[in-house]
Amino acid sequence: MIKGLAIMRRRQVVVRQEEPPRKTTTNSSLTITSVRYGECQRNHAASIGGYVVDGCREFMASGEEGTSGALACAACGCHRNFHRREVETEVVSECSSPNNSSNRA
């Protein structure tokens, strides 16, 4: 980058959701898993025995989902696998109270 020249880029977050899990007979619950890719961890100086990262803070896909550009970062050009993977799992369960609990005196 040229000194004093700042380039503004559009930020794009990649979130991937897995298929809903199987429902159990004892309770009905739904697990939602989302995957986000954080900062780039590629060592650009590995070939000379050093350690240098490019400073890319978040993966931004350079293409639409389903294309080869979806796996390349628009900010640093690295493959998505070089970015730290953050998995967030949310479990939503439905709890029902017994019907005769409202008949208490």
Side-chain angles (χ1 to χ4, degrees), residues 3-39:
K3 189 174 184 179
L5 178 64
I7 299 173
M8 300 299 291
R9 294 186 186 219
R10 193 171 126 199
R11 178 177 238 175
Q12 182 179 6
V13 177
V14 175
V15 177
R16 184 179 68 185
Q17 291 187 352
E18 294 178 359
E19 295 292 323
R22 295 164 242 134
K23 290 194 175 191
T24 60
T25 55
T26 56
N27 66 357
S28 59
S29 64
L30 177 69
T31 304
I32 301 172
T33 302
S34 60
V35 179
R36 182 180 164 276
Y37 294 90
E39 68 270 2

Side-chain angles (χ1 to χ4, degrees), residues 10-17 33-38 58-67 69-74 79-81 83-88:
R10 193 171 126 199
R11 178 177 238 175
Q12 182 179 6
V13 177
V14 175
V15 177
R16 184 179 68 185
Q17 291 187 352
T33 302
S34 60
V35 179
R36 182 180 164 276
Y37 294 90
E58 186 173 358
F59 177 79
M60 295 183 293
S62 60
E64 295 294 321
E65 188 67 32
T67 64
L71 300 176
C73 182
H79 192 274
R80 185 175 71 183
N81 288 348
H83 290 260
R84 185 171 50 88
R85 186 173 188 226
E86 301 170 356
V87 179
E88 185 176 303

